Amino acid sequence: MQDHSDRQAPAAERADAPIDPFVEHRRLLFGTAYQMLGSVADAEDILQTAWLKWNAADRAAVEHPKSYLVRTVTNLSLNRLTSARATRETYVGPWLPEPLLTAPDTAEEIEMADTVSTAMLVVLETLDPTERAVFILREVFGYTHAEIGGFLDRPEATVRQISHRARNHVQARRLRFDADDESRRQITEKFMAACHGGDLNALMELLAPDVTLWNDGGGLVTAARRPLHGPDHVARWMLGVMTKPVSAGIRLEPAILNGELSIIGVIGDYRVGALTYDIVNGRIENIRFQVNPTKLGGIQATGEGS
């Protein structure tokens, strides 16, 4: 075997070499793509394409690498989102964003003050692609209207109008939740105990009168193809899932998904589902149950041996 021990380390790995701008800003770039698309896999694809474009670029002509990279990722995401919307029109059952494990394993993968919750990603789905891009760049990452105009090749005044419209749209649809961390932990533990114990009454007591459950199986696994409403319907369906043969041996475990305490379903060593939910007045009001196996890559990492 040839000895490579004396091979010079790549520039990005040498201690005295400057950090490549793409590596330096990768968290920001991933965060932008993920929030634009609601998909971990698509965000990683966008970053791969952006990396290839960055490698092919004339670096000497790039005056502001960070802005160049954000612009590249934003426009790639816009193109992907536009095509994805057509696909989602024929999607089997409710479409939910991909959950992302954000602590302790992959928290560093997103650079933002507060990780966007699954509830917010659902709201962002109601914006058109340009509104979504402007909202994320302005409200999450704090870019000016002029900077965003440069990214999107739009006049600053136009971007300002889009930003105002998108912000009002989000504020009108954004739910307000009142559970502190300790209350959320207690409710989560009671929910898991009720599911594991098959306690219908205890489970119903944890659900709000107008609770709704959305279940995304993508047509690949058995899932409710329409939203379920009401404590009795939702509770009975949840307990039915726990007792199905395909769910044999399933256990529910707490996990931080998209910055919030949530629940993952585990069979053996594989994570087969993710539940994110909102808590209002001490009860669970919305449940989003992601079981599409192609959309669970963001919760599989355990950090063990990596």
Side-chain angles (χ1 to χ4, degrees), residues 4 23 25 29 79 87 131 156 170 187 200 225 231 256 264 305:
H4 298 292
V23 176
H25 302 299
L29 301 176
N79 293 337
T87 302
E131 289 174 338
E156 179 181 352
V170 170
I187 292 171
L200 178 63
R225 296 193 176 186
I256 306 299
I264 55 175

Side-chain angles (χ1 to χ4, degrees), residues 22 25-51 69-82 84 88 95 97-98 100 109-112 116 121 124-125 129 132-137 140-141 143 258:
F22 189 94
H25 302 299
R26 189 186 187 284
R27 298 174 188 173
L28 168 65
L29 301 176
F30 178 83
T32 302
Y34 174 64
Q35 291 174 81
M36 279 289 296
L37 301 168
S39 166
V40 176
D42 284 350
E44 292 290 359
D45 285 347
I46 291 296
L47 259 63
Q48 179 65 27
T49 303
W51 169 250
L69 291 167
V70 171
R71 175 175 180 158
T72 299
V73 167
T74 298
N75 283 286
L76 287 171
S77 298
L78 275 171
N79 293 337
R80 178 70 64 91
L81 184 59
T82 300
R88 289 173 192 174
W95 184 95
E98 291 185 27
L100 180 66
E109 291 301 318
I110 300 182
E111 183 182 86
M112 64 184 93
V116 170
L121 290 175
L124 291 179
E125 280 292 308
R132 187 165 182 168
V134 170
F135 181 86
I136 291 167
L137 292 171
V140 179
F141 296 111
Y143 285 101
N258 296 77

